[in-house]
Structures are given as C-alpha cells and as structure tokens.
C-alpha cells in the first residue's frame, strides 16, 4: 500500500528522486495549483486572510494583499516577500469605491489582470443583544460585510472575463448557520453571504467565473479574541466540537487554494464549512 513520504524518508532521498516522484504523482494532469494566477485578497494582513494569502502564494499565485492600514500592508508584504513569495499589497478600505478601484487597478498594473478574488474583509463593531443594534451599526456591518463584497465582485469580473474566467471565494462564517452569542448583526451579515454566493454563482457562470464560500468556525485570531480569550469560555466551546480544539487560520488556507485550483473547476455556488464539526445547517 502506498503511503505519503514522511519527513524522515524525505531526508534520505536525493532531491532529484523527490522531483521525479512529484512529477509522477501529478501524472498527465500537470500541476493544478493556482500557478501564475493573480489573486486579490482583502483583509489579508493578519488572521485568516493572511494565512490564505500565504498559501496561495506558496502554491504559485501572484498575490495582492490589502487592509485598511498601510503599515499593516507593508508588514505583511515584507514578511511574505521574505519567505520568497510573490506578494505585493495596497491599502484598501473595502467600503470605499475609490479604494476598491485602486485595489483592482494595482493587480492589473502589476500582473496584467485578476484571476482570483478572496473577499475576506469584515467588521463587527458591536457585542450585545440584537435588539440593541443601532441603525448606524447595521449600516456599517452590512456595508462592509455584504455590500462591499458584491461591489468588489462587480469590479473584478470584467478583468476575469478578459482572461477566460476566474474564481471567487467569499469568506462567511459558521455563525451563518449556528449564531455566535451576542453577535447577532454579524451573524446575519454572514448568513447573507451564503445567499450572495448562490446568486453570484448563477449570474457569473456565463463568464466562466466560479463563486464559492468558506464558512470558518471559531479560529484563534485577534478578530475573534473576545470569544476565546477567557479559558472557561474556550473550554466550553471546545466541548461542543467534534475536533476538540479551536481552529487556526491555516486550517482554512488549503481549502481556499483548492477551490481556486483546476481541481475544483466543476464546483460553484457551494459553501465549505471548516469548523471542527460544529453543526452547520440552516
């Protein structure tokens, strides 16, 4: 029976033998990773977005990272370029039309187009009862978490169509299915993204643009710190999971790279839940 090489065996094999085996395992299909594809990733200077940007670049894509603060962009780019990855970046507040336009224009100017969009930027400015959410907070959450994703998609689709198609992954949350306590408006916005994915997949198929959705569970990021930094609360959360740990951003990255690869070229309109076995049904 064939078993993947362990690191110990890899160390015993000469580099030429490893290259030969890798080529054989790919067979006639060739490499199906997003080699030389141009990927734009929003909210990608830390957490899940950063892990996705790193993985796409590791798998051969030219990645444009972005976030609201230039210093965060500069730090992320320096880190990933220091790892030998093809990464550039620009500041982008996804709620601002001029920033969205600049983000797409940057990718086109540097790399000639856009093949992949990962819409990950999100906000949650309120923690409390849903009934207490103000109109101002509703506007901010829906503008950034839902409307900006739709408008950024609108901006990239013409560039994807020029290149014969593309792949869009919208980052939702398992909270779309199983709401997080005291995050009602955020939960609602993430549920809306499931519907946005379905609708966009139907409309964009004519241009060979696939649209899928990632629904992460609770991940150890600064964004979700309020949910897991209390040890008692963390233990309670882990007890509800089949996989008894809180996720890491890297747990999301591989599935996104897959969804953007040719291996997934018959998948569109779907949501993949990466949540350690948390119940995920509407």
């Amino acid at each position: 029976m064939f078993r993947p090489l362990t690191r110990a065996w890899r160390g015993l094999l000469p580099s030429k033998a490893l290259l030969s085996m890798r080529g054989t395992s790919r067979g006639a299909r060739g490499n199906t990773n997003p080699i030389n594809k141009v990927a734009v990733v929003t909210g990608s200077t830390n957490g899940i977005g950063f892990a996705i940007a790193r993985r796409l670049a590791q798998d051969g894509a030219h990645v444009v990272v972005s976030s609201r603060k230039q210093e965060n962009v500069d730090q992320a780019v320096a880190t990933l370029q220091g790892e030998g990855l093809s990464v550039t970046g620009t500041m982008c507040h996804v709620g601002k039309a001029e920033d969205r336009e600049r983000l797409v224009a940057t990718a086109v100017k540097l790399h000639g187009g856009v093949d992949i969009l990962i819409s990950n930027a999100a906000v949650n400015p309120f923690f409390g009862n849903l009934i207490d959410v103000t109109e101002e907070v509703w506007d901010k959450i829906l503008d950034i978490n839902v409307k900006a994703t739709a408008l950024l998609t609108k901006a990239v689709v013409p560039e994807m169509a020029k290149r014969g198609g593309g792949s869009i992954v919208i980052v939702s949350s398992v909270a779309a299915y199983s709401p997080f306590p005291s995050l009602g408006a955020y939960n609602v916005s993430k549920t809306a993204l499931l519907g946005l994915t379905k609708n966009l997949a139907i409309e964009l198929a004519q241009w060979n643009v696939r649209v899928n959705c990632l629904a992460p569970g609770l991940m150890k990021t600064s964004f979700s710190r309020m949910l897991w930094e209390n040890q008692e609360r963390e233990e309670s959360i882990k007890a509800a999971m089949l996989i008894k740990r809180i996720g890491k951003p890297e747990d999301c990255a591989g599935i996104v790279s897959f969804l953007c690869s040719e291996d997934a070229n018959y998948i569109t309109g779907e949501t993949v839940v990466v949540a350690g076995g948390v119940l995920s049904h509407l």
Side-chain angles (χ1 to χ4, degrees):
M1 179 184 295
F2 173 80
R3 291 184 175 86
L5 288 171
T6 64
R7 291 190 179 187
W9 278 107
R10 285 176 182 271
L12 294 175
L13 286 170
S15 58
K16 288 185 178 180
L18 278 175
L19 289 172
S20 175
M21 293 178 71
R22 287 169 183 162
T24 302
S25 67
R26 289 170 184 158
R29 295 181 303 139
N31 193 320
T32 58
N33 289 336
I35 297 294
N36 289 324
K37 300 292 186 181
V38 180
V40 171
V41 189
T42 66
S44 52
T45 58
N46 56 49
I48 293 172
F50 181 78
I52 291 171
R54 171 182 271 153
R55 178 58 181 265
L56 288 172
Q58 288 174 339
D59 287 347
H62 304 292
V63 179
V64 180
V65 301
S66 66
S67 77
R68 290 177 292 174
K69 296 182 179 180
Q70 186 63 50
E71 59 265 34
N72 293 343
V73 172
D74 293 341
Q75 182 177 355
V77 169
T79 297
L80 296 177
Q81 286 184 349
E83 297 172 7
L85 302 175
S86 178
V87 177
T88 54
T90 184
M91 183 183 70
C92 178
H93 186 310
V94 296
K96 297 179 178 180
E98 61 271 25
D99 281 18
R100 294 191 299 267
E101 291 168 4
R102 184 176 62 248
L103 177 59
V104 177
T106 297
V108 173
K109 179 180 179 180
L110 293 176
H111 304 294
V114 179
D115 302 290
I116 294 167
L117 169 65
I118 312 299
S119 182
N120 175 66
V123 296
N124 176 52
F126 183 83
F127 189 81
N129 294 329
L130 186 63
I131 201 70
D132 295 325
V133 179
T134 65
E135 184 173 358
E136 181 183 14
V137 169
W138 271 117
D139 287 344
K140 183 172 184 177
I141 288 177
L142 295 178
D143 277 355
I144 301 301
N145 295 6
V146 183
K147 187 173 76 173
T149 295
L151 293 177
L152 188 54
T153 297
K154 181 179 180 179
V156 300
V157 165
E159 298 300 332
M160 292 180 173
K162 293 175 185 176
R163 295 161 78 88
S167 177
I168 296 170
V169 177
I170 297 170
V171 179
S172 176
S173 169
V174 74
Y177 299 97
S178 183
F180 292 148
S182 300
L183 295 178
Y186 174 84
N187 299 336
V188 170
S189 74
K190 291 300 184 176
T191 304
L193 293 177
L194 306 187
L196 182 63
T197 297
K198 291 288 187 184
N199 281 271
L200 288 174
I202 294 169
E203 293 187 11
L204 302 186
Q206 62 183 307
W207 293 293
N208 193 33
V209 175
R210 297 183 298 105
V211 186
N212 291 293
C213 187
L214 175 76
L218 182 59
M219 301 288 159
K220 279 207 169 182
T221 66
S222 58
F223 186 83
S224 65
R225 183 178 298 278
M226 70 178 69
L227 296 175
W228 55 262
E229 63 182 350
N230 178 285
Q231 186 173 358
E232 183 178 348
R233 186 181 296 136
E234 180 177 347
E235 292 304 317
S236 175
I237 291 169
K238 289 192 292 189
M241 296 177 172
L242 299 181
I243 299 174
K244 303 297 183 183
R245 65 174 176 85
I246 294 178
K248 302 174 293 184
E250 291 76 17
D251 292 324
C252 299
I255 191 66
V256 172
S257 184
F258 163 73
L259 289 171
C260 297
S261 75
E262 292 183 13
D263 281 336
N265 64 12
Y266 202 52
I267 301 174
T268 194
E270 299 297 338
T271 297
V272 179
V273 177
V274 181
V278 172
L279 291 177
S280 54
H281 301 284
L282 287 176

